[in-house]
Amino acid sequence: MSLVKIAVLDMNNGHANEGMRCILQLIRNVQGNDHAEIAFDVFNVRAKNEIPGLDYDVYISSGGPGSPLESDEPWENPYFALIDQLFAWNQRNDRKKFVFLICHSFQLVVRHLDLAVLSRRKSTSFGIFPVHKTDEGCSEPLLKKLPDPFYAVDSRDYQITEPNLERIDEMGAAILCLEKIRPHVALDRAIMSVRFSPEIIGTQFHPEADNEGMLRYFMKEEKRNQIVTNFGQAKYDDMVAYLQDPDKIPLTESVIIPGFLRQAISALAPTEQFIEQN
């Protein structure tokens, strides 16, 4: 099997974060554990306006801080042009391009495709929360190894609600997950994952988050004080406890992005083998 090329789109706008470290570590894990022929490049989209071309097989677009609402920042139109080109490529070519969109990137693409309403939350969602599968989510191969609900890291000031069902049906997309059930809150539950096409999927939560790195991060005095000040001691204690539970964040981390990478590599293999044999 020939080399599978991955473009990692860094959407953090120059801010220090754990997400990029986690994404690159997951790629390296699949590379090592599966003996996969993988190469990857990182593109600093928002800070340096770096946009990859169509010469990659897999694209992973990260989360990031700030507003996902429409702006005049110079990276935005080229980023959406790439997204449109990837969808168009998959409609015209047998050898597909695979895309995973995380948090900020997920919100941007949902807005761009007019699949639902993007709005600011009344308060920040920050913590480790249950994520509930829809009927479509229960049959989604990437989620089959996870319980219902499963747990994931959520960190956002914005939300996706009010799905445009006509547009979703037209695209052949599917809503896979919703946020935690809040029986005493008279607000729509946010959409937490969408399968946009057979090759393109996104999550509002952070499937790349790892327990060990995040635990180290949260144990730093500055970060601990920040969480306690903004969200309370109980929230901090819950997050530390959840990070040490192997059935929560470690399980989600081990299933979703590695599964996505393995699916992509497997789907690309028959085409490569056919080319090599002919």
Side-chain angles (χ1 to χ4, degrees):
M1 181 169 60
S2 64
L3 189 69
V4 172
K5 295 176 63 181
I6 301 175
V8 182
L9 281 64
D10 181 351
M11 303 293 286
N12 289 282
N13 203 19
H15 292 264
N17 71 97
E18 290 288 301
M20 284 297 297
R21 176 189 62 78
C22 294
I23 290 168
L24 299 181
Q25 186 58 53
L26 287 169
I27 293 172
R28 293 186 185 103
N29 288 347
V30 170
Q31 193 175 34
N33 296 339
D34 296 22
H35 306 291
E37 293 292 325
I38 292 174
F40 63 86
D41 295 309
V42 176
F43 295 84
N44 192 337
V45 175
R46 294 170 67 193
K48 297 183 179 179
N49 199 23
E50 296 176 349
I51 304 288
L54 292 176
D55 49 337
Y56 290 85
D57 304 296
V58 177
Y59 297 75
I60 300 177
S61 192
S62 80
S67 169
L69 300 175
E70 186 175 359
S71 76
D72 58 1
E73 293 181 21
W75 60 269
E76 192 163 303
N77 286 336
Y79 178 81
F80 288 136
L82 172 64
I83 295 299
D84 291 341
Q85 289 163 5
L86 291 170
F87 275 99
W89 173 282
N90 286 340
Q91 291 174 351
R92 296 192 307 263
N93 294 277
D94 291 334
R95 182 181 172 85
K96 307 300 184 183
K97 306 285 188 184
F98 293 83
V99 183
F100 201 106
L101 305 160
I102 299 171
C103 194
H104 191 88
S105 299
F106 172 74
Q107 294 169 346
L108 287 168
V109 172
V110 168
R111 168 170 69 81
H112 177 63
L113 298 175
D114 190 29
L115 295 183
V117 173
L118 170 63
S119 63
R120 192 174 184 92
R121 286 176 54 89
K122 289 193 172 184
S123 61
T124 299
S125 177
F126 179 76
I128 297 168
F129 298 113
V131 178
H132 295 261
K133 300 179 191 179
T134 63
D135 289 344
E136 291 85 356
C138 288
S139 59
E140 164 60 44
L142 282 187
L143 303 179
K144 280 193 172 179
K145 292 183 179 179
L146 295 174
D148 186 22
F150 59 94
Y151 283 79
V153 171
D154 192 25
S155 177
R156 60 192 164 94
D157 292 316
Y158 293 82
Q159 63 182 356
I160 300 292
T161 57
E162 301 178 47
N164 183 343
L165 297 178
E166 183 177 343
R167 179 82 174 110
I168 289 171
D169 289 343
E170 177 189 326
M171 277 191 63
I175 297 169
L176 303 180
C177 301
L178 298 173
E179 71 179 334
K180 65 180 180 179
I181 297 170
R182 300 175 295 172
H184 304 299
V185 178
L187 296 171
D188 288 344
R189 292 166 66 198
I191 297 168
M192 298 301 285
S193 181
V194 170
R195 166 66 72 182
F196 296 92
S197 75
E199 304 82 22
I200 301 176
I201 190 170
T203 63
Q204 176 66 86
F205 58 88
H206 287 268
E208 79 279 16
D210 71 337
N211 62 327
E212 291 183 13
M214 290 197 69
L215 200 55
R216 286 195 304 271
Y217 184 58
F218 289 146
M219 290 294 189
K220 293 179 179 178
E221 184 177 2
E222 180 184 358
K223 190 63 182 177
R224 183 184 66 79
N225 291 341
Q226 180 186 348
I227 295 171
V228 171
T229 299
N230 292 328
F231 301 100
Q233 185 68 45
K235 167 75 74 173
Y236 178 82
D237 292 342
D238 282 348
M239 290 184 69
V240 169
Y242 281 2
L243 284 170
Q244 297 178 81
D245 184 340
D247 294 325
K248 290 188 168 64
I249 298 309
L251 180 61
T252 301
E253 181 219 5
S254 72
V255 167
I256 296 182
I257 290 184
F260 163 77
L261 289 171
R262 291 182 180 117
Q263 279 187 1
I265 292 166
S266 176
L268 291 163
T271 302
E272 291 166 347
Q273 290 168 357
F274 179 82
I275 291 170
E276 290 167 1
Q277 292 167 4
N278 291 271

